Amino acid sequence: MLDCREEVLSLTKELVKIESVVNTEGEAFISKYLYKILSESPYFSRNNDHLVLEQTIQDDRERYNVLAFVKGTKGTSNRTVILMGHVDTVGIEDYNQLREEACDPERLMASLESEDLPPSARAQLDSGDWLFGRGVLDMKSGVASHLYLLNHYAEHPEELDGNLVLLAECDEEDSSHGVLSALKTLKRWKKEHGFDYTAAINADFVAPRYEGDENRYIYKGTVGKLLPSFFITGAETHVGSAFEGLDPNFIAAELTRQINYNPELCNEAFGETTVPPVSLKQTDLKPSYTVQTALAAYVYYNFFIHSWSPRDVLELLKDQATIAFDRALSSFTERYADYCERSGERFVQPTWTSRVMTYEEMEAQLIEAHGEAFTDAMDAFKAQLLKDSTLDTRMFAARVVEEAWKWMRDKTPAIILFYSSLYSPRIELTGKDANEANLINALDEAVEAIQPSYPHPIVTRNFFPYISDMSFVALSDDDEGINAVSRNNPGWGTKHHVDYQDIRDLNVPVINVGPYGLDAHKKLERMEMTYSLEVVPNLTNLIILKLLGTV
């Protein structure tokens, strides 16, 4: 067992004290700092081409990845393990009056002594085995564990029969520009140095799955994440003549009622089930107040997948949207009839019918109807829209759909379904090839060896349940699934683009062995030190050695 607790703890505190909130200058600073401390080590001073600080590509911010590798000298193997982890964090606004201490664990914990804390957090604070602060859990202690192992083998390359690569990436908390940029470097190193990438080990945080859960989880593969989005058009009317039009917010509300928390939209695979979709935004697109109903509404949902493809999800949600549209029209008609009976006005049967299509289907209709006039106009519109720096990828996509809708000859109410953000692919780790089987076996043997020295169960599951950069080192989707993403994202190729072929080219099996704790992204973010600073580095080290055939 490596005696690593104090060194990993020191590295953790060192990294946490650097406020590296995503999309701020601190994100670039921490990468430069990490590069500096690595470059000062004797190994990287002698082998300066083994360490790089690289700016992200296709990114409107200045930020960097740090990549480094150690070549073992014990043998001649080209087997290579990637250690990966992100150095950015979410914001610190939730710390309120303790904001100045959020990134200084010792100061923060001293201040928390006088706070009114939940009993469990109070007990953990008093125990001496828990560290509080922004980033301690998500995921700077995990990065510190990887740094410790890289430094160890930089000092002792004779213990390593193979190679160890560190990827400390930025922008995990937003759009994954970091890992997507790093794929280019990893592919280049594979060619230049002959690296045979056999596995990747991520060190993102793990947490209890339910109240009283004592398990410490390790995950094989990861959940996938989509952002299905809906542009909803109605029939505009003055509010004084409410039933002469159809409010798109009314349809949107019914759509959210149908999709939100719907267990039918949970994806089960290998005995594990995703959480259902949840709405992340619901709004109309009126620019200002008027007494007219809105022309359009916009809503999007988080959607996790284990085995479904992006194409499967579009088909599922077209059905769900049709159900919601039918229900909205039925409710509208019933309420209109009831109103007419109460008021004595004449009832006129509404003629609207449910109409749901994907963006790909709508675009095909418009190209057929208008040809180059449509495509040229949309190219010009998107080029102009790119100049608006206030639009994120999601609102950019909505504005493109809104503009395309103006070209539709039939403007009766409709729902247009599309994707408006990054697709984080699902990864299944089943043992289907030699690399996957070796990783699973190495993991199982390492857990078996470590478990007797730790009191809580270390349990392996199939899918990491949170969004992470694990999604971008392997690809389980076929071309049809990926094409469903690109063809149904209105911002594809302009505001948003991912080279999924880079992922397919790397295609390395990945697991997550990360720090354990509670309340990530919250004020009381904290990690258990014994597991995170002792078990995690030793467990990761054993997996590395077993993968490289050293033990």
Side-chain angles (χ1 to χ4, degrees), residues 17-302:
K17 286 181 179 179
I18 300 172
E19 186 179 313
S20 56
V21 174
V22 68
N23 297 327
T24 69
E25 292 180 358
E27 194 178 10
F29 181 84
I30 193 171
S31 296
K32 292 177 181 179
Y33 177 81
L34 186 54
Y35 175 79
K36 181 178 182 293
I37 62 172
L38 283 172
S39 65
E40 292 170 352
S41 78
Y43 180 88
F44 291 110
S45 294
R46 294 191 307 270
N47 302 279
N48 56 21
D49 62 331
H50 291 198
L51 171 66
V52 295
L53 175 73
E54 292 191 336
Q55 189 168 352
T56 52
I57 58 177
Q58 297 178 330
D59 192 356
D60 57 5
R61 298 198 66 87
E62 180 191 351
R63 48 189 161 198
Y64 303 86
N65 295 316
V66 177
L67 295 100
F69 65 88
V70 172
K71 285 190 171 183
T73 59
K74 186 173 184 177
T76 59
S77 172
N78 285 325
R79 290 187 299 268
T80 303
V81 176
I82 302 169
L83 302 179
M84 56 187 292
H86 68 88
V87 293
D88 60 316
T89 73
V90 296
I92 59 173
E93 295 80 8
D94 53 333
Y95 284 85
N96 300 317
Q97 74 275 13
L98 298 179
R99 183 170 174 171
E100 293 299 317
E101 293 97 66
C103 296
D104 188 327
E106 291 173 355
R107 287 177 60 206
L108 176 65
M109 292 168 70
S111 296
L112 288 174
E113 289 287 354
S114 58
E115 292 278 310
D116 183 17
L117 303 179
S120 60
R122 171 62 61 190
Q124 289 158 351
L125 179 65
D126 294 342
S127 72
D129 196 35
W130 286 75
L131 192 71
F132 289 63
R134 175 60 76 234
V136 296
L137 179 61
D138 186 16
M139 59 171 286
K140 290 180 177 178
S141 57
V143 173
S145 172
H146 283 348
L147 275 174
Y148 170 85
L149 292 171
L150 184 79
N151 287 331
H152 174 80
Y153 287 110
E155 294 172 4
H156 303 285
E158 74 281 356
E159 297 179 6
L160 201 63
D161 184 10
N163 312 297
L164 200 59
V165 171
L166 172 73
L167 166 59
E169 74 269 18
C170 58
D171 189 35
E172 190 266 0
E173 297 291 359
D174 188 350
S175 299
S176 292
H177 282 101
V179 67
L180 291 170
S181 299
L183 292 174
K184 305 288 186 185
T185 305
L186 293 172
K187 286 174 60 177
R188 187 177 74 248
W189 282 357
K190 180 178 181 179
K191 183 178 180 180
E192 291 176 354
H193 300 282
F195 289 161
D196 176 15
Y197 295 124
T198 60
I201 304 174
N202 194 41
D204 218 329
F205 78 93
V206 300
R209 297 182 61 83
Y210 52 85
E211 186 74 27
D213 183 8
E214 292 296 321
N215 296 329
R216 275 54 172 164
Y217 292 105
I218 295 169
Y219 293 95
K220 302 177 293 184
T222 185
V223 69
K225 189 259 188 187
L226 290 156
L227 195 76
S229 307
F230 299 82
F231 176 84
I232 304 164
T233 66
E236 190 180 24
T237 185
H238 189 285
V239 292
S241 305
F243 289 105
E244 291 182 10
L246 180 61
D247 178 12
N249 289 317
F250 185 67
I251 305 171
E254 196 61 60
L255 184 68
T256 293
R257 179 172 176 264
Q258 179 65 28
I259 292 176
N260 248 28
Y261 304 112
N262 186 346
E264 293 180 9
L265 299 176
C266 298
N267 183 198
E268 185 275 333
F270 303 106
E272 297 177 19
T273 304
T274 63
V275 296
V278 177
S279 170
L280 292 177
K281 188 179 186 69
Q282 184 166 321
T283 185
D284 64 45
L285 297 177
K286 285 178 69 172
S288 59
Y289 173 81
T290 71
V291 291
Q292 300 292 109
T293 57
L295 283 173
Y298 181 40
V299 57
Y300 52 71
Y301 306 87
N302 184 78

Side-chain angles (χ1 to χ4, degrees), residues 233-254 257 293-294 323-342 345-354 413:
T233 66
E236 190 180 24
T237 185
H238 189 285
V239 292
S241 305
F243 289 105
E244 291 182 10
L246 180 61
D247 178 12
N249 289 317
F250 185 67
I251 305 171
E254 196 61 60
R257 179 172 176 264
T293 57
I323 292 169
F325 210 145
D326 287 343
R327 187 179 290 134
L329 291 176
S330 176
S331 178
F332 177 91
T333 302
E334 289 174 6
R335 293 181 182 190
Y336 179 28
D338 189 1
Y339 165 76
C340 289
E341 184 175 344
R342 293 168 184 261
E345 293 192 12
R346 185 170 68 91
F347 173 77
V348 179
Q349 181 70 37
T351 58
W352 302 304
T353 57
S354 300

Side-chain angles (χ1 to χ4, degrees), residues 388-508:
D388 186 349
S389 61
T390 66
L391 295 179
D392 64 11
T393 59
R394 292 155 286 276
M395 284 309 300
F396 183 94
R399 293 303 178 190
V400 172
V401 179
E402 183 180 40
E403 182 68 17
W405 176 256
K406 295 175 184 177
W407 288 75
M408 290 289 286
R409 289 168 178 164
D410 178 1
K411 289 188 172 63
T412 55
I415 296 177
I416 312 301
L417 167 60
F418 56 100
Y419 293 126
S420 67
S421 189
L422 177 69
Y423 167 44
S424 299
R426 62 196 172 86
I427 295 179
E428 300 171 358
L429 191 65
T430 61
K432 62 180 176 292
D433 59 33
N435 280 343
E436 287 195 7
N438 290 339
L439 179 54
I440 291 170
N441 290 337
L443 171 59
D444 290 344
E445 291 173 9
V447 170
E448 185 178 359
I450 295 289
Q451 181 67 85
S453 63
Y454 182 70
H456 300 290
I458 303 172
V459 175
T460 302
R461 291 179 63 87
N462 287 293
F463 296 99
F464 185 67
Y466 316 114
I467 305 162
S468 82
D469 283 345
M470 294 172 70
S471 286
F472 301 104
V473 297
L475 200 58
S476 297
D477 288 306
D478 58 18
D479 287 341
E480 183 182 3
I482 294 302
N483 288 339
V485 173
S486 60
R487 293 171 183 169
N488 286 284
N489 188 322
W492 189 264
T494 51
K495 186 73 171 180
H496 177 69
H497 177 76
V498 174
D499 190 346
Y500 286 102
Q501 188 58 45
D502 279 348
I503 305 172
R504 202 179 296 284
D505 290 344
L506 190 68
N507 208 41
V508 59

